[in-house]
Amino acid sequence: MKRLLVTGAAGGLGRAMRQRLAPMADVIRYSDIVDLGEAASHEELVRCDLGDSDGVDKLVEGCDAILHLGGISVEDKFSKILNANLLGLYNLYEAARAHGMPRILFASSNHTVGFHRQDQHLDVDTPMRPDGLYGVSKCFGEALAHMYFDKFGQETAIVRIGSCMEKPTTHRMLSTWMSYDDFTSLIECVFRAPMLGCPIIWGVSDNDSRWWDNAAAAYLGWRPKDNAERFRAELEAAGARPDPRSPVAVYQGGQFTQDPIFEE
Ligand code: NAI
Ligand code: 15L
């Protein structure tokens, strides 16, 4: 790749991935609504609100691929979700359409299916059951990606990320965790694949307790290597096992199912 665009680069995942992404493209254009610090020699830093269509158009121009991490990443006021996750995604896809349809990896979320129970195993054909407005915004993003693929041939990997962090910190994450190494290898697979299409991929490591089946995306050849099980003893010693009747133990979306609708 000549130039990779990474949105949401100042966030938790963006910062964790910055070193790991360096070998993937000659130039990496990092963007966020907040300051991104100093640029290294192979980096371009662009401050941009995803809700600003002209700004997003310029951001996407000249890029061969987009890792879209930007947006509101938890439950929040609808006005904030509307700007970043709905308008922002529309702006991104329109900019992509205007500039040669660079391949997109869209960071969707397990909160598209958060009201499914933890004793259910899901594949990509399981109906969505979002657990809040944040989850609904990711359902919108997935629908938008499919529409741009069907209408224009725009390729997107829709990655329903579980919990991508250094290590699992709750009992639920023994099922939902994805390691940074596994996310890195997934990004490589997505951008190297000769043919991508518009698959839904569960962004989860090879956890013994995972709930999600990636058979439909097997053609990409992604083989996650980490397994949250190695943290089980540590987590259980720290008292992480919840009451089996509590929402964190019943629903796949865990605590997100209990969030209110936030007032403006
Ligand atoms: P984060 O909240 O730490 O980072 C998101 C970034 O987007 C922030 O730096 C924020 O400033 C930026 N942003 C927010 N509104 C913006 C706007 N209007 N214009 C431009 N930038 C804006 O989230 P995190 O954890 O880094 O996640 C990255 C992506 O992955 C998010 O889209 C999130 O929904 C998704 N995801 C992450 C999971 C995780 O475990 N970290 C799990 C599931 C999905
Ligand atoms: C998400 O979608 C959030 O962005 C992230 O902060 C985590 O809370 C994750 O889901 C999760 O469900 O653990």
Side-chain angles (χ1 to χ4, degrees):
M1 272 187 283
K2 286 204 175 95
R3 183 179 281 105
L4 168 67
L5 169 62
V6 182
T7 66
L13 265 185
R15 279 181 280 118
M17 300 311 288
R18 199 151 158 179
Q19 292 298 323
R20 296 163 185 271
L21 294 172
M24 291 190 205
D26 298 342
V27 177
I28 307 194
R29 182 176 291 173
Y30 289 104
S31 177
D32 206 288
I33 197 170
V34 300
D35 186 54
L36 283 153
E38 294 292 309
S41 56
H42 68 286
E43 295 179 345
E44 297 172 346
L45 307 184
V46 183
R47 207 160 165 171
C48 175
D49 180 349
L50 290 163
D52 166 12
S53 58
D54 291 341
V56 173
D57 184 77
K58 289 191 190 77
L59 189 63
V60 168
E61 190 173 8
C63 296
D64 312 300
I66 303 173
L67 174 59
H68 183 53
L69 303 176
I72 301 299
S73 63
V74 290
E75 196 62 13
D76 210 325
K77 293 175 183 170
F78 184 63
S79 56
K80 290 177 72 176
I81 292 173
L82 178 65
N83 179 65
N85 295 15
L86 282 79
L87 182 56
L89 208 69
Y90 164 73
N91 288 339
L92 189 84
Y93 274 81
E94 276 299 276
R97 189 163 74 90
H99 297 293
M101 295 201 290
R103 189 174 279 185
I104 297 172
L105 188 159
F106 167 50
S108 185
S109 171
N110 71 88
H111 296 289
T112 52
V113 294
F115 265 116
H116 284 289
R117 295 175 58 94
Q118 294 184 8
D119 54 14
Q120 288 176 277
H121 282 234
L122 313 187
D123 61 28
V124 294
D125 296 322
T126 308
M128 291 168 170
R129 290 189 74 174
D131 55 29
L133 295 174
Y134 164 63
V136 169
S137 76
K138 295 294 189 182
C139 297
F140 168 85
E142 294 193 5
L144 194 82
H146 282 299
M147 186 273 281
Y148 274 81
F149 178 66
D150 290 337
K151 213 181 257 287
F152 306 115
Q154 166 71 57
E155 292 191 304
T156 300
I158 296 168
V159 180
R160 286 185 183 161
I161 302 174
S163 308
C164 190
M165 46 195 67
E166 199 172 346
K167 58 185 201 172
T169 57
T170 64
H171 198 266
R172 168 180 166 271
M173 289 182 196
L174 292 171
S175 302
T176 61
W177 183 62
M178 175 166 65
S179 70
Y180 292 143
D181 281 352
D182 285 336
F183 190 32
T184 305
S185 66
L186 175 57
I187 295 166
E188 283 169 349
C189 270
V190 163
F191 289 134
R192 284 193 183 147
M195 195 279 299
L196 178 66
C198 191
I200 293 173
I201 304 159
W202 299 99
V204 67
S205 282
D206 190 26
N207 307 328
D208 290 355
S209 308
R210 68 191 178 279
W211 304 313
W212 307 317
D213 179 355
N214 260 330
Y219 68 92
L220 287 173
W222 179 50
R223 302 268 179 276
K225 295 197 164 41
D226 285 310
N227 187 335
E229 204 56 28
R230 71 188 157 96
F231 297 100
R232 181 180 289 276
E234 186 186 315
L235 275 169
E236 291 190 348
R241 186 179 274 277
D243 178 338
R245 292 158 306 178
S246 67
V248 291
V250 172
Y251 295 114
Q252 298 199 358
Q255 198 57 37
F256 279 55
T257 60
Q258 303 305 294
D259 281 328
I261 301 294
F262 288 104
E263 285 184 26
E264 294 294 329

Short mmCIF file of all heavy atoms in Angstrom, two decimals, residues 6 31 33 65 81 83 87 95 97 139 141 143 153 155 186 193 221 227 234-235 251:
data_model
loop_
_atom_site.label_atom_id
_atom_site.label_comp_id
_atom_site.label_asym_id
_atom_site.label_seq_id
_atom_site.Cartn_x
_atom_site.Cartn_y
_atom_site.Cartn_z
N VAL A 6 -5.89 6.06 8.63
CA VAL A 6 -6.40 5.51 9.89
C VAL A 6 -7.19 6.61 10.60
O VAL A 6 -6.61 7.63 10.99
CB VAL A 6 -5.26 5.02 10.81
CG1 VAL A 6 -5.83 4.42 12.10
CG2 VAL A 6 -4.37 4.02 10.09
N SER A 31 -5.66 10.30 11.49
CA SER A 31 -6.60 11.40 11.67
C SER A 31 -7.42 11.21 12.94
O SER A 31 -7.68 10.08 13.38
CB SER A 31 -7.54 11.44 10.46
OG SER A 31 -8.50 12.45 10.64
N ILE A 33 -10.29 13.84 15.66
CA ILE A 33 -10.84 15.17 15.95
C ILE A 33 -9.98 15.88 16.99
O ILE A 33 -10.06 17.09 17.16
CB ILE A 33 -12.31 15.03 16.43
CG1 ILE A 33 -13.04 16.36 16.34
CG2 ILE A 33 -12.40 14.43 17.81
CD1 ILE A 33 -14.55 16.24 16.55
N ALA A 65 -6.31 2.68 1.12
CA ALA A 65 -7.05 1.83 2.04
C ALA A 65 -7.38 2.66 3.28
O ALA A 65 -6.68 3.64 3.57
CB ALA A 65 -6.22 0.62 2.44
N ILE A 81 -23.49 10.62 18.71
CA ILE A 81 -23.45 9.40 17.90
C ILE A 81 -23.87 9.71 16.46
O ILE A 81 -23.26 9.24 15.49
CB ILE A 81 -24.38 8.34 18.53
CG1 ILE A 81 -23.80 7.88 19.87
CG2 ILE A 81 -24.61 7.17 17.59
CD1 ILE A 81 -24.69 6.95 20.67
N ASN A 83 -23.57 12.53 14.75
CA ASN A 83 -22.53 13.24 14.00
C ASN A 83 -21.37 12.31 13.61
O ASN A 83 -20.97 12.25 12.44
CB ASN A 83 -21.99 14.41 14.84
CG ASN A 83 -20.89 15.16 14.12
OD1 ASN A 83 -21.13 15.79 13.08
ND2 ASN A 83 -19.68 15.08 14.63
N LEU A 87 -23.55 10.36 10.36
CA LEU A 87 -23.11 11.33 9.35
C LEU A 87 -21.65 11.07 8.97
O LEU A 87 -21.28 11.10 7.79
CB LEU A 87 -23.29 12.75 9.91
CG LEU A 87 -22.94 13.89 8.98
CD1 LEU A 87 -23.72 13.82 7.68
CD2 LEU A 87 -23.18 15.24 9.67
N ALA A 95 -16.87 10.02 0.32
CA ALA A 95 -15.51 10.41 -0.05
C ALA A 95 -14.80 9.24 -0.74
O ALA A 95 -14.10 9.43 -1.75
CB ALA A 95 -14.74 10.85 1.20
N ARG A 97 -16.20 6.89 -2.47
CA ARG A 97 -16.80 6.75 -3.81
C ARG A 97 -16.21 7.78 -4.77
O ARG A 97 -15.99 7.49 -5.95
CB ARG A 97 -18.32 6.93 -3.70
CG ARG A 97 -19.07 6.61 -4.97
CD ARG A 97 -20.53 6.41 -4.64
NE ARG A 97 -21.23 7.66 -4.35
CZ ARG A 97 -21.84 8.40 -5.28
NH1 ARG A 97 -21.82 8.02 -6.54
NH2 ARG A 97 -22.47 9.50 -4.94
N CYS A 139 -25.04 -0.88 13.58
CA CYS A 139 -25.94 -1.59 12.64
C CYS A 139 -26.12 -0.73 11.39
O CYS A 139 -26.10 -1.24 10.26
CB CYS A 139 -27.30 -1.86 13.27
SG CYS A 139 -27.28 -2.95 14.70
N GLY A 141 -23.99 1.45 10.24
CA GLY A 141 -22.71 1.38 9.52
C GLY A 141 -22.60 0.11 8.69
O GLY A 141 -22.15 0.14 7.54
N ALA A 143 -25.10 -1.69 7.53
CA ALA A 143 -26.06 -1.62 6.41
C ALA A 143 -25.52 -0.70 5.32
O ALA A 143 -25.64 -1.00 4.12
CB ALA A 143 -27.41 -1.12 6.92
N GLY A 153 -19.89 -1.64 -5.60
CA GLY A 153 -18.74 -2.54 -5.54
C GLY A 153 -17.68 -2.11 -4.53
O GLY A 153 -16.57 -2.65 -4.51
N GLU A 155 -15.56 -2.31 -1.52
CA GLU A 155 -15.25 -3.42 -0.61
C GLU A 155 -15.05 -2.92 0.83
O GLU A 155 -14.36 -1.91 1.04
CB GLU A 155 -13.99 -4.13 -1.06
CG GLU A 155 -14.16 -4.88 -2.38
CD GLU A 155 -12.97 -5.79 -2.65
OE1 GLU A 155 -11.84 -5.26 -2.67
OE2 GLU A 155 -13.17 -6.99 -2.84
N LEU A 186 -5.34 -9.61 11.40
CA LEU A 186 -6.61 -9.46 10.67
C LEU A 186 -6.53 -8.28 9.70
O LEU A 186 -6.96 -8.39 8.54
CB LEU A 186 -7.77 -9.26 11.66
CG LEU A 186 -9.13 -8.96 11.05
CD1 LEU A 186 -9.56 -10.05 10.06
CD2 LEU A 186 -10.20 -8.81 12.15
N ALA A 193 -5.86 -9.33 0.93
CA ALA A 193 -6.71 -10.31 0.22
C ALA A 193 -6.90 -9.90 -1.23
O ALA A 193 -7.24 -8.75 -1.51
CB ALA A 193 -8.06 -10.42 0.90
N GLY A 221 -8.47 -16.50 5.25
CA GLY A 221 -7.29 -17.16 5.80
C GLY A 221 -6.80 -16.55 7.10
O GLY A 221 -5.67 -16.79 7.51
N ASN A 227 -5.51 -16.76 23.00
CA ASN A 227 -6.65 -17.40 23.65
C ASN A 227 -6.77 -16.80 25.06
O ASN A 227 -5.84 -16.90 25.86
CB ASN A 227 -6.41 -18.91 23.72
CG ASN A 227 -7.61 -19.68 24.23
OD1 ASN A 227 -8.46 -19.13 24.95
ND2 ASN A 227 -7.68 -20.95 23.88
N GLU A 234 -6.14 -16.04 36.66
CA GLU A 234 -5.82 -14.71 37.20
C GLU A 234 -7.12 -13.91 37.44
O GLU A 234 -7.30 -13.29 38.49
CB GLU A 234 -4.95 -13.99 36.16
CG GLU A 234 -4.38 -12.67 36.54
CD GLU A 234 -3.66 -12.05 35.33
OE1 GLU A 234 -2.90 -12.75 34.61
OE2 GLU A 234 -3.88 -10.86 35.10
N LEU A 235 -8.03 -13.95 36.47
CA LEU A 235 -9.27 -13.18 36.59
C LEU A 235 -10.15 -13.75 37.70
O LEU A 235 -10.74 -13.00 38.48
CB LEU A 235 -10.05 -13.25 35.27
CG LEU A 235 -9.67 -12.23 34.20
CD1 LEU A 235 -10.32 -12.59 32.87
CD2 LEU A 235 -10.08 -10.84 34.63
N TYR A 251 -26.16 -11.45 29.05
CA TYR A 251 -26.19 -10.91 27.68
C TYR A 251 -24.78 -10.76 27.10
O TYR A 251 -23.84 -10.38 27.81
CB TYR A 251 -26.87 -9.54 27.66
CG TYR A 251 -28.33 -9.62 28.03
CD1 TYR A 251 -28.80 -9.03 29.20
CD2 TYR A 251 -29.23 -10.31 27.22
CE1 TYR A 251 -30.13 -9.11 29.55
CE2 TYR A 251 -30.57 -10.40 27.57
CZ TYR A 251 -31.02 -9.81 28.73
OH TYR A 251 -32.33 -9.90 29.08
#
